[in-house]
Amino acid sequence: LFLQFVFHTYTTAFTLMNGNGTPKAEEYSLHQKQIFYGLGAISYAACAGALPLVFMNRYTLKSPLTQLIVRRLLPAPLLGLTSAFTAAVVRSPEFEHGIEVMDRNGKVVGVSRNAGEKAVRETALSRAVLFGTTFVLPELLVHFVQRAELVKNARSLAAVRMFLITSVLTGMVPVSLSMFPQCGEIKRADLEPEILSSTEDTELFYNRGI
């Protein structure tokens, strides 16, 4: 539970610092609201990530199938989903209140909730791919290493697993960041009516964040 909490605290803080910085209404405190949302998302994600293992240990479920599911198969997709969840929650004010959209010359033509939703959805998906792949691929490779009996003891196997996780994470960071462009595009037809009257451009742009 503690390690899950530390992990999601780090990723949530990163998301908070690298979101879209569109100014909001005077009565709306972006920073305070996002911190509040972030703390709730971190707590929920940490509990969700640790719950399967806690449940297994609490009820002494030690069958090989249970061990395989809880320790090998479930953690990677669960971590990907919870990472996407925390990213979406901490940046939810962006699709609640909208983000700035600009024309090709960089002129702001309005604040769009639809663009905010698109930006948050793309970021959450890239975060799920990043951490899901980072932890599922090394487990598959470790499985083949074990079957081939290339490593004889648990300490060496742990070192191999850590090396694989670090290597995959190093490779997946640029991949996840390049899944969607930093300067996102949204078609004119997908914007709100009040913005359509402000421009004739068929495509507008927004800062997606990281």
Side-chain angles (χ1 to χ4, degrees):
L1 180 63
F2 174 74
L3 293 177
Q4 289 275 346
F5 188 85
V6 170
F7 172 79
H8 289 295
T9 298
Y10 173 79
T11 58
T12 300
F14 179 86
T15 302
L16 182 63
M17 292 186 294
N18 292 279
N20 186 288
T22 297
K24 306 299 190 301
E26 293 181 1
E27 69 274 9
Y28 171 64
S29 176
L30 171 66
H31 192 62
Q32 292 179 357
K33 192 170 185 178
Q34 283 186 306
I35 289 177
F36 177 76
Y37 282 0
L39 290 174
I42 291 167
S43 301
Y44 180 86
C47 291
L51 186 60
L53 188 59
V54 171
F55 186 83
M56 184 186 72
N57 292 333
R58 174 69 177 79
Y59 294 99
T60 61
L61 304 175
K62 302 299 183 180
S63 70
L65 180 60
T66 302
Q67 293 282 333
L68 175 65
I69 293 174
V70 174
R71 293 187 180 276
R72 297 293 182 86
L73 301 180
L74 190 59
L78 187 59
L79 189 63
L81 289 173
T82 52
S83 297
F85 169 77
T86 55
V89 170
V90 77
R91 290 185 56 178
S92 61
E94 295 179 23
F95 57 77
E96 289 177 0
H97 298 268
I99 61 175
E100 291 178 346
V101 291
M102 302 158 285
D103 60 19
R104 294 185 180 277
N105 298 319
K107 178 184 177 182
V108 176
V109 298
V111 175
S112 170
R113 290 186 296 274
N114 294 344
E117 180 180 353
K118 188 170 184 287
V120 173
R121 184 172 63 248
E122 291 173 346
T123 303
L125 179 58
S126 67
R127 203 64 54 81
V129 170
L130 169 61
F131 292 113
T133 305
T134 296
F135 286 92
V136 72
L137 187 56
E139 283 299 328
L140 291 175
L141 296 175
V142 166
H143 173 71
F144 289 119
V145 168
Q146 287 179 301
R147 290 196 62 178
E149 298 183 351
L150 298 176
V151 177
K152 301 299 183 181
N153 57 70
R155 180 173 296 181
S156 298
L157 185 63
V160 170
R161 179 181 281 108
M162 184 59 64
F163 172 77
L164 290 173
I165 290 174
T166 303
S167 300
V168 174
L169 178 61
T170 302
M172 283 303 301
V173 167
V175 171
S176 67
L177 293 179
S178 61
M179 283 181 62
F180 304 100
Q182 181 69 34
C183 182
E185 297 183 13
I186 185 169
K187 294 185 181 301
R188 186 173 185 272
D190 296 330
L191 295 171
E192 292 85 342
E194 58 269 22
I195 300 179
L196 297 180
S197 60
S198 303
T199 180
E200 295 297 328
D201 288 2
T202 57
E203 290 185 345
L204 295 166
F205 304 89
Y206 57 89
N207 173 29
R208 180 176 67 84
I210 300 176

